[in-house]
């Protein structure tokens, strides 16, 4: 494909072209000249981006329906954006993951940081799940799947087109099998534990790989301990704790399906006798446990994103404070409390402040031992603060 075949879109005079030249990957809708021709471009169109002086900046994917109207794909305007181009990005991502992990269970593509904007790919051995969260990836989904099979050799590929990110792009929700077949949840080894991932019916891609290093840290605290895992999903922290020698673990979640998968994981590990579940609203269950006088040596809370946007920030911080306030009384003197946030809008300082206030309001005094983040299969793009979404704070509550 020749450069001349691409349409051209142009920045407004006051747009920050320097930031884009220095690596910022997005153009917002108020920074682009959106004349009738640009507005008529179909979502996912590949175009040449120019600054206001007609200097070329690179190839972008355009979506007139999104606040992020352009996503940078390649600085080379002669690039052909198709299966071969995608495969080259996949090979680079795979090379790094194979250095980091001894088994093919990881996030293979983490969107902009791996050069495929808006695309998430999680690998579960011979199965891979693509989340095309940008319009260009929806348009090229068949090329994505073909390149993925070519580079990794996986036999089953699932498209998971659900979630808030697709809604922001104006994309519909859809989940379908692109290649192969899958008729049962997939066992996933991680940190010595076995997780059961529901690829088709579970949350996101079926498992949260980003917490891997934080699961491992919690497991180090859990040898011989009584562990409480709140907002447990499929047993993320509790199964890791049991693999680390926990005396017992209680997983709390609102989803019966997630808890059933957690129980299957415990059975696969041979630790069912030390594992229990409790279904219910996490806040209500923590309140009830306190009324019952329950105490645990390690308590971990990994809630959903309470502050997914700036508009939700204040309410989200109050929710994180409430989690800490309810969790702290459940920690035995000298025990450990882990508090997590996956909210883009709540930065580390704000989340730490909310957590500390909650612990204080519970009448407890704490040491902050460790701050954890997502693992290296979730690389950060330094120009995007949003990519550093996951925070995990580990406290020791003083006697």
């Amino acid at each position: 494909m020749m450069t001349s075949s691409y349409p051209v879109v142009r920045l407004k005079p006051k747009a920050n072209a320097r930031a884009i030249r220095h690596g910022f990957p997005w153009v917002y809708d108020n920074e682009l000249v959106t004349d009738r021709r640009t507005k008529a471009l179909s979502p996912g169109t590949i175009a040449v981006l120019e600054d206001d002086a007609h200097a070329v900046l690179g190839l972008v994917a355009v979506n007139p329906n999104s606040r992020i109207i352009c996503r940078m794909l390649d600085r080379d305007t002669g690039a052909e954006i198709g299966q071969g181009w995608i495969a080259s990005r996949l090979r680079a991502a795979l090379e790094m993951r194979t250095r980091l992990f001894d088994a093919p269970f990881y996030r293979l593509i983490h969107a902009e940081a791996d050069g495929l904007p808006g695309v998430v790919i999680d690998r579960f051995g011979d199965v891979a799940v693509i989340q095309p969260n940008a319009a260009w990836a929806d348009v090229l989904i068949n090329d994505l799947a073909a390149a993925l099979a070519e580079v990794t050799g996986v036999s089953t590929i699932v498209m998971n087109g659900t979630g808030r990110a697709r809604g922001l792009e104006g994309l519909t929700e859809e989940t379908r099998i692109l290649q192969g077949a899958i008729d049962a949840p997939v066992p996933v080894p991680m940190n010595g534990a076995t997780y059961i991932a529901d690829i088709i019916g579970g949350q996101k891609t079926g498992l949260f790989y980003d917490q891997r290093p934080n699961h491992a840290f919690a497991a180090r605290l859990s040898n011989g301990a009584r562990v409480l895992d709140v907002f447990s999903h499929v047993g993320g922290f509790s199964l890791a704790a049991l693999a680390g020698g926990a005396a017992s673990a209680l997983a709390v979640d609102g989803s019966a399906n997630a808890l059933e998968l957690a129980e299957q994981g415990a059975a696969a590990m041979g630790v069912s006798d030390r594992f229990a579940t409790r279904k219910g609203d996490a806040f209500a269950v923590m309140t009830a446990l306190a009324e019952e006088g329950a105490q645990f040596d390690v308590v971990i809370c990994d809630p959903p994103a309470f502050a997914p946007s700036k508009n939700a920030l204040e309410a989200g911080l109050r929710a994180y404070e409430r989690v800490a306030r309810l969790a702290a009384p459940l920690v035995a003197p000298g025990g450990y409390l882990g508090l997590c946030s996956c909210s883009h809008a709540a930065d580390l300082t704000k989340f730490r402040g909310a957590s500390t206030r909650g612990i204080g309001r519970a009448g407890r005094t704490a040491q902050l031992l460790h701050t954890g983040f997502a693992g290296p299969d979730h690389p950060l793009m330094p120009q995007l603060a949003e990519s550093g979404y996951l925070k995990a704070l580990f406290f020791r509550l003083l006697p």
Side-chain angles (χ1 to χ4, degrees):
M1 185 183 294
M2 300 300 293
T3 303
S4 59
S5 68
Y6 292 123
V8 175
V9 293
R10 189 167 295 118
L11 294 178
K12 292 179 178 177
K14 292 186 179 180
N16 192 354
R18 178 181 295 178
I20 294 168
R21 286 194 180 91
H22 291 175
F24 190 74
W26 296 343
V27 177
Y28 294 104
D29 56 0
N30 63 347
E31 298 176 310
L32 197 73
V33 175
T34 49
D35 53 21
R36 199 179 330 175
R37 181 185 56 83
T38 300
K39 289 179 180 177
L41 294 175
S42 60
T45 296
I46 311 301
V48 174
L49 176 67
E50 295 181 348
D51 66 15
D52 63 305
H54 299 264
V56 172
L57 298 172
L59 286 181
V60 293
V62 183
N63 184 355
N65 299 330
S66 174
R67 172 86 171 89
I68 303 171
I69 195 168
C70 295
R71 296 175 186 263
M72 182 62 69
L73 295 176
D74 203 308
R75 303 287 166 172
D76 176 8
T77 56
E80 282 193 44
I81 309 299
Q83 181 178 334
W85 179 88
I86 294 167
S88 68
R89 301 293 168 104
L90 288 169
R91 287 189 192 96
L94 179 62
E95 192 276 337
M96 183 179 80
R97 272 71 177 183
T98 53
R99 287 176 181 268
L100 294 170
F101 302 102
D102 57 7
F105 297 89
Y106 41 67
R107 173 150 295 182
L108 175 61
I109 292 292
H110 194 52
E112 275 77 355
D114 281 306
L116 294 174
V119 177
V120 167
I121 302 177
D122 282 349
R123 184 174 183 183
F124 304 91
D126 202 32
V127 178
V129 181
I130 304 174
Q131 286 187 298
N133 295 329
W136 78 272
D138 238 28
V139 172
L140 294 180
I141 189 64
N142 291 331
D143 284 337
L144 266 166
L148 181 60
E150 171 194 339
V151 171
T152 66
V154 296
S155 62
T156 298
I157 299 174
V158 176
M159 169 185 160
N160 183 323
T162 63
R164 178 175 177 269
R166 283 180 64 84
L168 296 175
E169 284 278 296
L171 303 173
T172 58
E173 294 208 351
E174 177 187 14
T175 296
R176 57 193 170 98
I177 296 175
L178 302 174
Q179 176 179 307
I182 186 167
D183 55 10
V186 177
V188 177
M190 188 162 61
N191 289 321
T194 299
Y195 298 94
I196 308 298
D198 184 354
I199 303 298
I200 300 296
Q203 292 184 42
K204 299 292 181 69
T205 63
L207 193 69
F208 298 113
Y209 280 131
D210 52 2
Q211 286 282 23
R212 186 191 321 243
N214 301 317
H215 289 162
F217 187 82
R220 291 169 60 191
L221 301 175
S222 298
N223 187 28
R226 300 161 296 169
V227 176
L228 174 65
D229 179 9
V230 186
F231 306 98
S232 70
H233 190 227
V234 297
F237 281 96
S238 44
L239 296 184
L242 290 168
S248 65
L250 173 63
V252 175
D253 202 86
S255 167
N257 290 337
L259 292 176
E260 183 179 342
L261 292 167
E263 289 170 348
Q264 291 176 25
M269 295 166 60
V271 296
S272 294
D273 58 327
R274 293 186 279 140
F275 183 64
T277 64
R278 187 157 170 170
K279 180 184 178 298
D281 172 78
F283 296 102
V285 171
M286 284 193 287
T287 301
L289 286 170
E291 292 171 350
E292 295 163 16
Q295 291 269 280
F296 301 86
D297 304 300
V298 177
V299 175
I300 310 288
C301 298
D302 184 17
F306 287 142
S309 66
K310 290 181 181 178
N311 291 338
L313 178 59
E314 291 308 315
L317 291 174
R318 288 193 296 272
Y320 287 123
E321 181 179 329
R322 185 183 177 207
V323 167
R325 178 172 58 81
L326 292 176
L330 300 175
V331 181
Y336 300 92
L337 174 61
L339 300 171
C340 306
S341 167
C342 58
S343 291
H344 294 272
D347 65 21
L348 177 59
T349 300
K350 290 184 173 65
F351 174 58
R352 188 169 54 213
S355 299
T356 304
R357 285 193 301 274
I359 293 170
R361 288 184 63 192
R364 302 298 298 271
T365 303
Q367 301 167 313
L368 179 58
L369 295 185
H370 175 69
T371 301
F373 302 95
D377 53 344
H378 292 63
L380 299 181
M381 189 168 198
Q383 297 88 347
L384 286 181
E386 292 87 346
S387 61
Y389 65 99
L390 181 66
K391 288 80 64 176
L393 305 175
F394 291 89
F395 299 89
R396 181 172 183 262
L397 300 198
L398 300 177

